[in-house]
Amino acid sequence: MKTHTLTIVGVGLIGGSVALGAKKRGLADRVVGIDNQRESIDRALALGAIDVGFQCEAPAESFGEIIVVCTPVDQIVAQVALAAHHSRAGAVLTDSGSVKGTIVREVERLTPKIAFVGSHPLAGSEKQGVEHASPDLFQDRLTIVTRSPQTDAGALERISSFWQALGSRVQSMSPEAHDRAVARTSHVPHLLASALSAYLEPELQPLAATGFKDVTRIASGDPALWSAILMHNRPAIRDGLRELESCIQRFRRALDEGNGDALTDVLALGKRRRDDLGS
Amino acid sequence: MKTHTLTIVGVGLIGGSVALGAKKRGLADRVVGIDNQRESIDRALALGAIDVGFQCEAPAESFGEIIVVCTPVDQIVAQVALAAHHSRAGAVLTDSGSVKGTIVREVERLTPKIAFVGSHPLAGSEKQGVEHASPDLFQDRLTIVTRSPQTDAGALERISSFWQALGSRVQSMSPEAHDRAVARTSHVPHLLASALSAYLEPELQPLAATGFKDVTRIASGDPALWSAILMHNRPAIRDGLRELESCIQRFRRALDEGNGDALTDVLALGKRRRDDLGS
């Protein structure tokens, strides 16, 4: 299934990688990039990720059969609404935001007639910008696509095929199940990595070795982007934090009681589950 | 300064790396390894890390001018006492344990006459065993050596030079300052990585991407070794956990209040300090 025009709104790391991946695999005749930063468009053009680019106002013919909104999460709903306004009959829209519940609910409320499917490719990096984009960013990664009561089955099918064509595995779940899951796999870990990084006084930094650097690596992510992500998933993050704290409580109790065997048991569970993940 | 006989008690990842490093740099005429596991001695001999090895009972001439005890932390005090019993006049003893307060205090109480300097090379890996040892494990890393009121200045000098000869930078501090520091740079992060790994239900594991793997990597460390380390540093870990929780509390308050700017501020502090650490 080849698309005539593929439209990417927000040409950063993710949007640029979708564009490059589609180019490399011949998934579209033409890739149009829309971004509110002239610099990102120029870079994407220079990299050959997009064929044509627009800043802000894009003409109606820029909006193709597949439109992927890859902006920061707090701009996705507005950009989807704008694209929906211009899009042709039969177009399907998706996004790449790392929260889904608030976005899918808002999009369905504001533009109930368009074929929108929420997506979250579990790929990325603490680096930002189209200059770090890669056509193979999604290769062998997992992309979650969301299925709500309003989701059009044909659109879900087309968006799933699109991510698969970019090399990704695809799994569908409800927006709420997605948000609960990523609170645990991504948002709570991000918050902890950031807290650990913040609490280490500068004079102790020379003592931080590889382990500390690994634990805190994701804290280098863009604060404004992450603030928006976390703000969109507050209830699930609160639940996740509460569960994590009851885990930490088991450690604290073992330490307080001087119970080395109990401590070994919790550490062994952590090791078992970490070993299951692979390197 | 070349040593005639260098003695390594506990020939695992660290002990094996000390031995290989000393060989490579010609720091000793003879390296003797002592380990309670026959397998470790055989592997260390096969790797050329040691010239001669003993299981359990080692003759007095095995104990050279420099003795490095690299066993798990809960065996260090006993092994230092044993080595001190056999060691010749003028010998200096050190260890490589990642806690220092309890060890230095106990060694000074049990064997007040020997020249002992606590050491902690900030190097290692979640992997164990002499088969992962490297002659360059300490190259460009930091080794902490401890200075207590009882520490002999000449012994401190010799042990510092020894680690420097292995390629390490050396910093001296009190055992208590060391333990407070590593609680923050290593022990609390380990505990959190383990808790995060343990709390992720197996059915959510497919959604764990690179970020989660980075945060939890150190949770793969050996549970019994880590339990012993954490048990030896309980007060400092409790303090560290309490401080970290007040950091997490700032995140929680920003989330509860829906204050995106406050959240961005704490994330920005975390990013600034993480960026300072380098990759």
Side-chain angles (χ1 to χ4, degrees), chain A residues 118-145:
Chain A
S119 297
H120 178 199
L122 302 180
S125 137
E126 64 279 5
K127 298 188 184 114
Q128 299 298 328
V130 68
E131 62 272 28
H132 297 113
S134 156
D136 299 315
L137 189 68
F138 312 107
Q139 188 70 47
D140 302 324
R141 299 307 190 88
L142 179 65
T143 298
I144 305 297
V145 294

Side-chain angles (χ1 to χ4, degrees), chain A residues 191 227 230-234 237-238 241, chain B residues 248-260 263:
Chain A
L191 196 154
S227 176
L230 301 175
M231 278 292 160
H232 273 79
N233 201 18
R234 294 157 60 193
I237 293 172
R238 269 198 292 263
L241 264 180
Chain B
I248 295 176
Q249 196 50 36
R250 290 183 61 192
F251 282 96
R252 195 197 310 270
R253 197 158 47 232
L255 283 170
D256 284 347
E257 292 169 355
N259 189 340
L263 191 56

